[in-house]
Amino acid sequence: MNRHELEALYTLNNPATSQAIKMLPPEWHILYPSYLQFLELSNGLFGDEITLLEAEDIQQRNIDYEVQEYLPNFLMIGDNEIGRASCRERVCLYV
């Protein structure tokens, strides 16, 4: 989806800065390129049932939720504050 298509469904943020993306762990650039590409379109997003995290918040959220301890090689990218996780292709979205 492009930014225009996403804006029809969700509230988007400005794109993440290149500095914010560069500050993410280097291995994420290899393991999660599609999410990093998304951050270049919108630094997170908000919808009725979903929130995708901003680049500045992803690393701390994964530490707080101990994602690597319980789901090695997965990355939590968002939530809806209920606490259920849906994981696909090494990416977790708490729904």
Side-chain angles (χ1 to χ4, degrees):
M1 293 187 122
N2 62 38
R3 186 171 174 92
H4 179 72
E5 292 169 327
L6 287 170
E7 285 176 322
L9 302 170
Y10 306 104
T11 303
L12 302 182
N13 295 331
N14 290 326
T17 64
S18 59
Q19 183 65 23
I21 293 173
K22 219 183 258 188
M23 296 299 293
L24 296 172
E27 64 271 17
W28 289 10
H29 294 260
I30 296 166
L31 295 171
Y32 315 111
S34 60
Y35 194 67
L36 299 184
Q37 289 173 345
F38 163 75
L39 291 173
E40 293 173 352
L41 289 176
S42 178
N43 193 11
L45 67 73
F46 302 94
D48 291 336
E49 298 179 13
I50 188 172
T51 298
L52 296 182
L53 297 168
E54 297 175 359
E56 297 82 1
D57 299 328
I58 295 171
Q59 192 167 11
Q60 189 61 49
R61 182 68 62 92
N62 279 267
I63 292 168
D64 292 345
Y65 280 75
E66 300 176 323
V67 173
Q68 287 304 300
E69 181 176 338
Y70 297 104
L71 295 167
N73 300 317
F74 279 76
L75 177 68
M76 180 184 171
I77 61 168
D79 63 51
N80 70 354
E81 300 179 8
I82 292 176
R84 292 187 193 158
S86 173
C87 300
R88 303 284 187 273
E89 299 178 25
R90 297 186 296 191
V91 175
C92 292
L93 176 62
Y94 277 72
V95 294

